């Protein structure tokens, strides 16, 4: 994120996809980088135990890739929540397509509106 904050890129970034982010949910991603990025997707694995361990034991790491960034979803930024852990993004979920083919390629290849996906349920004790 520091590279994007410091604006080392000559052109505005069209799409930034985060997955398993170790940033803090308090990191104000909208304020810090939205002027440099057109759309931001933060995909969260709600059962990502690696991020829980990071948050507890590694100074400076957190779990926005599990809990999401605080703030409102809008046409420029979205938190999406998927059942699964840290390897979620490398598995086939419900089809022959990989997670990346199903959930990232449509946004990379086409200028699609951001779609809310929320597979959390209220019985998950690790959800804040």
């Amino acid at each position: 994120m520091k590279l994007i904050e410091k604006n080392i890129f000559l052109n505005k970034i069209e799409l930034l996809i985060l997955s398993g982010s170790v940033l803090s949910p308090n990191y104000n991603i909208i304020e810090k980088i939205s002027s440099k990025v057109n759309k931001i997707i933060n995909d969260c694995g709600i059962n990502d135990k690696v991020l829980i361990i990071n948050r507890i034991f590694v100074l400076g790491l957190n779990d926005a890739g599990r809990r999401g960034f605080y703030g409102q979803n809008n046409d420029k930024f979205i938190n999406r929540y998927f059942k699964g852990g840290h390897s979620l993004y490398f598995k086939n979920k419900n089809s022959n397509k990989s997670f990346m083919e199903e959930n990232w390629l449509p946004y990379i290849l086409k200028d699609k509106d951001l779609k809310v996906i929320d597979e959390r349920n209220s019985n998950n004790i690790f959800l804040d």
Side-chain angles (χ1 to χ4, degrees), residues 19-20 43-45 65 82 85-91 99-100 104:
S19 60
D43 281 347
C44 303
F82 297 91
H86 206 64
S87 62
L88 157 74
Y89 313 104
F90 303 102
K91 295 182 178 179
F99 181 93
M100 292 180 207
W104 296 350

Side-chain angles (χ1 to χ4, degrees), residues 85-98:
H86 206 64
S87 62
L88 157 74
Y89 313 104
F90 303 102
K91 295 182 178 179
N92 292 11
K93 192 138 175 141
N94 298 322
S95 68
N96 292 335
K97 293 181 179 179
S98 71

Side-chain angles (χ1 to χ4, degrees), residues 3 10 14 20 24 28 41 45 49 58 61-62 65 72-73 75 81 94 98 104 107 109-110 113 115 122 127:
L3 295 176
L10 297 176
E14 199 57 42
S24 170
N28 193 339
I41 295 172
K49 292 176 180 69
V58 183
L61 297 185
N62 218 299
Q72 228 23 58
N73 289 334
D75 60 340
Y81 301 92
N94 298 322
S98 71
W104 296 350
Y107 295 98
L109 299 177
K110 303 174 199 158
D113 290 335
K115 179 182 168 196
S122 59
L127 284 177

Side-chain angles (χ1 to χ4, degrees), residues 3-64:
L3 295 176
I4 296 171
E5 284 179 36
K6 291 180 182 181
N7 204 16
I8 67 152
F9 301 99
L10 297 176
N11 298 321
K12 192 169 190 174
I13 297 170
E14 199 57 42
L15 174 66
L16 177 65
I17 299 174
L18 302 172
S19 60
S21 175
V22 296
L23 294 171
S24 170
N26 291 320
Y27 178 83
N28 193 339
I29 196 163
I30 301 296
E31 180 183 302
K32 300 231 182 191
I33 69 168
S34 67
S35 65
K36 299 158 184 92
V37 179
N38 281 335
K39 290 184 180 177
I40 304 165
I41 295 172
N42 182 48
D43 281 347
C44 303
I46 59 175
N47 306 106
D48 194 334
K49 292 176 180 69
V50 171
L51 292 178
I52 295 171
I53 292 166
N54 281 345
R55 182 176 178 204
I56 295 169
F57 294 109
V58 183
L59 186 64
L61 297 185
N62 218 299
D63 64 349

